Amino acid sequence: MSIDLQQDYFALFGLPRRFDIDEGALEAAFHALQGEVHPDRHAHLPDADRRRAMQWATRVNEAFRTLRKPLARALYLLEVRGVDSGLETNTAMSAAFLMEQMEWREAVEEARAGGEVGELEHLHQRLRQHGRSVLAELQAQFAADDLQAAADTARRMMFIEKLQNDIDEALEALES
Amino acid sequence: MAYSEKVLDHYENPRNVGSFAKEEEGVATGMVGAPACGDVMKLQIKVGKDGVIEDAKFKTYGCGSAIASSSLVTEWVKGKTIDQALEIKNTQIAEELALPPVKIHCSILAEDAIKAAVADYKKKHEG
């Protein structure tokens, strides 16, 4: 058993390198590989082999974590396709999108300050729905191999995810 | 992560938080966002007839460094002409606030917010 650390995550699990993946196949491939590389199986081997097995196990876990989440998978796929998703540098989102984000955040802030749990749950629902439609856009863009558009959508999803975390945090704070 | 004293100061006592009415004479708005952390920043400038920025306000949803960066630039742009404001670089912001490397994008966001506000001003007044 050995793992080629140069392989990309898709190849590691024997999956085609595309956004739409078979989640069942990913899961099955992950469990099979995880069993192979588990440190316990290499406990009787010399240090160098154990270290290498540890590296493989880490790689397999990281690959699985990346591919199972749509946004992480999208960012990774863009990276291996050589497209800079501009997370650190691209601040010029569309004005309408940013305005909408501002309004969402204001609504969350107000609901949190006013202790309105029902309103936060409503925002949570609405945002999830919105997130699903954005994910559908992303799927279509990858299917059409429009990687620049996909990068733009992935950037938007970063904001949506952050917002979702903010709402969860606000709900937790109010419920505790 | 430990924030520098200057970041904490701006975070706890942010300068110039708020908004101007968009229709107000000489007001221009810059909206930017940092995908890396999902931060959103709105920077407004109020420019006098002589092209000097009289006042600035901001509203930022983000981490302490993003809030401090935007608070700082609202102080810096006041009294500058719009062209002088464009000379503010993210490296100066990062240096002033002693931002760690992982927070550099907050200073980039603030620099880009100034650029966006000035671009909005020019579009309204020169176009």
Side-chain angles (χ1 to χ4, degrees), chain A residues 85-93 95 98-102 105-107 109 155-156 158-159 162, chain B residues 22 29 31-42 59-63 102 105 108-109 112:
Chain A
S85 47
L87 294 189
E88 300 282 341
T89 50
N90 193 328
T91 63
M93 309 293 298
L98 289 171
M99 200 55 93
E100 199 182 87
Q101 281 295 308
M102 211 64 163
R105 312 268 165 123
E106 279 165 4
E109 194 180 54
R155 282 195 293 276
R156 279 161 53 209
M158 294 288 292
F159 290 89
K162 162 80 168 135
Chain B
K22 257 193 263 173
T29 305
M31 291 273 299
V32 289
C37 49
D39 291 354
V40 189
M41 188 180 286
K42 180 172 83 174
K59 192 156 194 187
T60 294
Y61 285 97
C63 65
V102 292
H105 64 265
I108 296 176
L109 194 61
D112 288 350

Side-chain angles (χ1 to χ4, degrees), chain A:
Chain A
M1 174 64 210
S2 79
I3 281 184
D4 177 0
L5 293 172
Q6 305 304 316
Q7 265 183 335
D8 72 48
Y9 294 162
F10 294 93
L12 183 66
F13 293 125
L15 297 168
R17 201 167 78 178
R18 58 168 194 246
F19 182 68
D20 267 316
I21 57 169
D22 177 342
E23 282 172 32
L26 171 65
E27 196 114 352
F30 168 63
H31 288 302
L33 267 183
Q34 202 190 28
E36 297 276 353
V37 300
H38 197 279
D40 290 353
R41 292 183 62 123
H42 305 264
H44 60 287
L45 295 174
D47 274 359
D49 293 326
R50 287 218 313 264
R51 264 203 304 279
R52 207 169 49 204
M54 188 64 88
Q55 250 188 338
W56 291 338
T58 307
R59 174 93 179 163
V60 168
N61 285 328
E62 190 184 284
F64 180 62
R65 268 203 308 273
T66 304
L67 294 191
R68 71 202 268 243
K69 293 209 169 158
L71 177 53
R73 181 165 74 242
L75 293 172
Y76 179 72
L77 182 55
L78 288 166
E79 186 192 318
V80 295
R81 294 286 308 271
V83 176
D84 177 11
S85 47
L87 294 189
E88 300 282 341
T89 50
N90 193 328
T91 63
M93 309 293 298
S94 95
F97 173 78
L98 289 171
M99 200 55 93
E100 199 182 87
Q101 281 295 308
M102 211 64 163
E103 282 162 8
W104 276 102
R105 312 268 165 123
E106 279 165 4
V108 173
E109 194 180 54
E110 272 169 32
R112 181 176 182 159
E116 299 161 50
V117 173
E119 174 62 16
L120 283 170
E121 278 165 356
H122 174 68
L123 286 167
H124 183 93
Q125 269 319 101
R126 265 182 58 207
L127 189 63
R128 278 182 62 140
Q129 240 171 36
H130 180 61
R132 274 197 290 272
S133 76
V134 175
L135 180 60
E137 267 180 67
L138 185 67
Q139 269 166 332
Q141 287 156 344
F142 273 119
D145 211 36
D146 188 349
L147 299 182
Q148 290 306 329
D152 188 59
T153 305
R155 282 195 293 276
R156 279 161 53 209
M157 286 175 75
M158 294 288 292
F159 290 89
I160 294 168
E161 191 160 276
K162 162 80 168 135
L163 191 51
Q164 197 70 262
N165 290 341
D166 284 356
I167 296 177
D168 290 345
E169 207 186 282
L171 277 170
E172 261 171 46
L174 290 183
E175 279 159 4
S176 66

Side-chain angles (χ1 to χ4, degrees), chain B residues 35-97:
Chain B
C37 49
D39 291 354
V40 189
M41 188 180 286
K42 180 172 83 174
L43 178 75
Q44 288 184 306
I45 50 174
K46 193 174 169 187
V47 185
K49 297 249 181 301
D50 50 3
V52 173
I53 298 170
E54 292 173 348
D55 204 355
K57 288 202 183 294
F58 82 95
K59 192 156 194 187
T60 294
Y61 285 97
C63 65
S65 303
I67 291 169
S69 298
S70 36
S71 171
L72 178 69
V73 298
T74 55
E75 287 197 318
W76 278 1
V77 296
K78 276 193 220 177
K80 286 190 162 69
T81 66
I82 51 172
D83 289 323
Q84 286 166 344
L86 287 179
E87 286 166 17
I88 295 173
K89 292 282 166 280
N90 85 283
T91 47
Q92 297 167 292
I93 301 166
E95 193 181 333
E96 173 70 17
L97 296 173

